[in-house]
Each structure stands twice: as C-alpha cells, then as structure tokens.
Amino acid sequence: MERKGFFITFEGGEGCGKSTQISLLESALKSAGEEVLVLREPGGTCVGEAIRHLLKSPEEGSSLVPEAELLLFAASRAQLVREKIRPALARGQWVLCDRFLDSTTVYQGVARCLDSSQVSLINRFAVGDTLPDRTFFLDLPWGEARLRVGKRNGAPDRFDSENDLFHNAVREGFLRLAEREPERVATLDASASQQSLATVIQKNISSFCHVLFS
Ligand SMILES: Nc1ncnc2c1ncn2[C@@H]1O[C@H](COP(=O)(O)OP(=O)(O)O)[C@@H](O)[C@H]1O
Ligand SMILES: [Mg+2]
C-alpha cells in the first residue's frame, strides 16, 4: 500500500496542551484545504474506546498490573494502526494522533519501571512500520501542568491521579526520548501561549511539506 499522508503525533504529560494544539492544527490544516483525521490514544476505534475505559477509569482499572496495562495500550494501538491510521494515510489524509507509542515508552517503560527493551519490542509488534513522521513533545514542568489539569473539565483519571514522583518521571522520560530521536521529535516549551505554540508547530510542518497555512 503506497503511503501518502503525513502522520503527526502529540506527546507530553497530562495537561501540557496536546488536545488544544491538535485542535488548532486540525483547523489550520483544514483551512489550507487538507483532509485531516484526528485520533486519540488509547481509543479511536470501538475496541480501543472500550480499552480506554478500562485504562482510564479509577474504579475499573484499580487492579491493573503494569504488565497488563502495557498490553492493553498495545492492543488498542494495534487496532488503531490497522483500522484507522494506515487506511487514512493511504487515502492521503493527515493523521493527528493524541499520544502514540512514545507514551508507552515513557509511561510504562520509565514511570512504571517495566523493562524498556521488552516495552520497545511490544511497541514494535503493535505498530509494525507505522511510525510518526513528526512528533511534537509539549514540555511542561509538572507543577505548571497540575494547575492546568485542575482547570480541565471532567474528573481526574487513573493517570491524572498519580503522584508527583510519577509525573516528574514522565517528564524526564520524554526529555530523554526527545534527545535520543531529535530528527523525529520536536521539543516545544509548552508554557508559551497557545497561539505562539500553534505558529511554531505550523512552521515546523512547513519545513518538511508544502502546506500553505494562512
Ligand atoms: N499554551 C497554554 N497556555 C495556558 N493554558 C493552556 C495552554 N494550552 C492549553 N492550556 C489549557 O490547559 C488545560 C489543558 O490543556 P489540554 O489541551 O486539555 O492538555 P492535554 O490534552 O495535554 O491534557 C486546558 O484548560 C487548556 O485550555
Ligand atoms: Mg487531552
């Protein structure tokens, strides 16, 4: 299957602004005449949304062991890649995904302390050769992010409710991952304004493809 669309992922801790930037980029791309599919992880498919509920719900997910958590994320991702991402890319659409395999590398492989080589094997098995063309890591100290999470609608999920140590480990994990893969992963200072971040993201995208953002 010839691949034509671009696959962009957004990563970072809770409350760093992923959903906000995805929505701004979606609008900007659509205004430029592009076709865009926005997806979220875990979820994005019927099976994936059921898995999302298990993973996010503080009640139902309370007894999940880290190994089961890892496999549930991988199952949701495997389904999303084959059911949604590959077909959209083949149609030439942009795929914007709220979290992808880097979240597993960091959350399960670093913050949950699972063996990182096993995590990367499972990641690889789940996605095959479907990897993001560009990943935007929105970097924000947990102290600031926590204030934003507090303002967000809805009750805190299993991950929001983790302790400060966990959230700091997530941030460190993303910083190290971004250092390892500087060509794919762009690290952005997420304390900047929503609009200035959106402009940086559009400029970055314009550097590898022709889109006429207004
Ligand atoms: N650059 C920003 N500066 C200040 N607040 C922001 C910024 N980006 C997002 N927010 C606010 O922070 C909260 C979390 O943003 P959100 O996009 O939901 O984060 P995420 O999807 O990463 O959890 C929301 O209330 C949002 O309006
Ligand atoms: Mg979000």
Side-chain angles (χ1 to χ4, degrees), residues 13-15 140-147 149 159-160 162-165 167-168 171:
E14 316 304 321
L140 195 64
W142 172 236
E144 277 181 61
R146 187 176 35 204
L147 299 175
V149 170
F159 293 96
D160 297 330
E162 286 290 346
N163 62 23
D164 293 350
L165 216 63
H167 291 289
N168 288 329
R171 182 183 182 212

Side-chain angles (χ1 to χ4, degrees), residues 38-96:
V38 173
L39 299 168
R40 68 174 183 183
E41 276 217 349
T45 63
C46 253
V47 165
E49 290 296 325
I51 294 174
R52 181 183 181 91
H53 182 67
L54 287 174
L55 283 166
K56 294 265 194 181
S57 155
E59 299 80 37
E60 297 198 30
S62 62
S63 62
L64 270 182
V65 296
E67 290 80 357
E69 182 180 286
L70 168 68
L71 293 168
L72 284 171
F73 274 109
S76 170
R77 187 167 303 132
Q79 187 74 26
L80 188 69
V81 162
R82 289 156 188 84
E83 191 179 318
K84 296 282 171 81
I85 298 177
R86 287 182 188 166
L89 293 173
R91 287 193 297 270
Q93 295 181 323
W94 288 77
V95 176
L96 311 183

